[in-house]
């Protein structure tokens, strides 16, 4: 039983949960064709943080961090692209 490493599965499970948390927002934004309530600064800071986590994950060779953040970046990036695509109010600042 000493050989069983529960840390990697724990990390993968945590990554799955935090990654799929973005899926409902992505689906809602896609269906309603509105991202008005999403903050530009939050999305930009989030995507920047995900990229930094990816760099860190590659540096420390941590598969759960790498895998979760690749998928999270795809979801967050898609939300950001939808925010750009569905922007209807030119005065929208935040």
């Amino acid at each position: 039983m000493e050989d069983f490493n529960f840390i990697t599965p724990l990390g993968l499970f945590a990554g799955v949960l935090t990654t799929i948390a973005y899926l409902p927002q992505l689906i809602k934004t896609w269906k309603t064709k509105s991202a008005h309530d999403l903050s530009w600064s939050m999305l930009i800071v989030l995507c920047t943080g995900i990229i930094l986590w990816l760099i860190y994950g590659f540096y420390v060779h941590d598969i759960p961090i790498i895998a979760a953040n690749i998928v999270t970046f795809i979801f967050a990036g898609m939300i950001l692209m939808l925010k750009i695509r569905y922007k209807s109010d030119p005065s929208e600042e935040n």
Side-chain angles (χ1 to χ4, degrees):
M1 195 73 169
E2 288 179 39
D3 292 351
F4 181 73
N5 179 356
F6 72 94
I7 297 300
T8 298
L10 178 69
L12 288 168
F13 187 61
V16 166
L17 290 178
T18 57
T19 297
I20 63 171
Y22 292 94
L23 202 50
Q25 184 63 61
L26 177 60
I27 292 168
K28 180 180 179 185
T29 303
W30 181 277
K31 283 183 177 181
T32 63
K33 298 192 181 349
S34 173
H36 177 73
D37 290 335
L38 298 174
S39 164
W40 280 106
S41 54
M42 183 275 299
L43 289 170
I44 292 167
V45 169
L46 175 65
C47 287
T48 303
I50 294 167
I51 290 168
L52 293 175
W53 270 116
L54 273 169
I55 293 167
Y56 173 80
F58 281 113
Y59 182 76
V60 298
H61 306 288
D62 191 311
I63 297 300
I65 290 175
I66 295 167
N69 282 287
I70 286 173
V71 177
T72 302
F73 184 73
I74 291 169
F75 289 168
M78 290 174 70
I79 293 169
L80 182 59
M81 295 308 293
L82 291 173
K83 173 86 170 159
I84 293 166
R85 181 175 180 188
Y86 299 142
K87 185 176 177 185
S88 59
D89 183 0
S91 67
E92 185 181 344
E93 294 289 321
N94 193 10

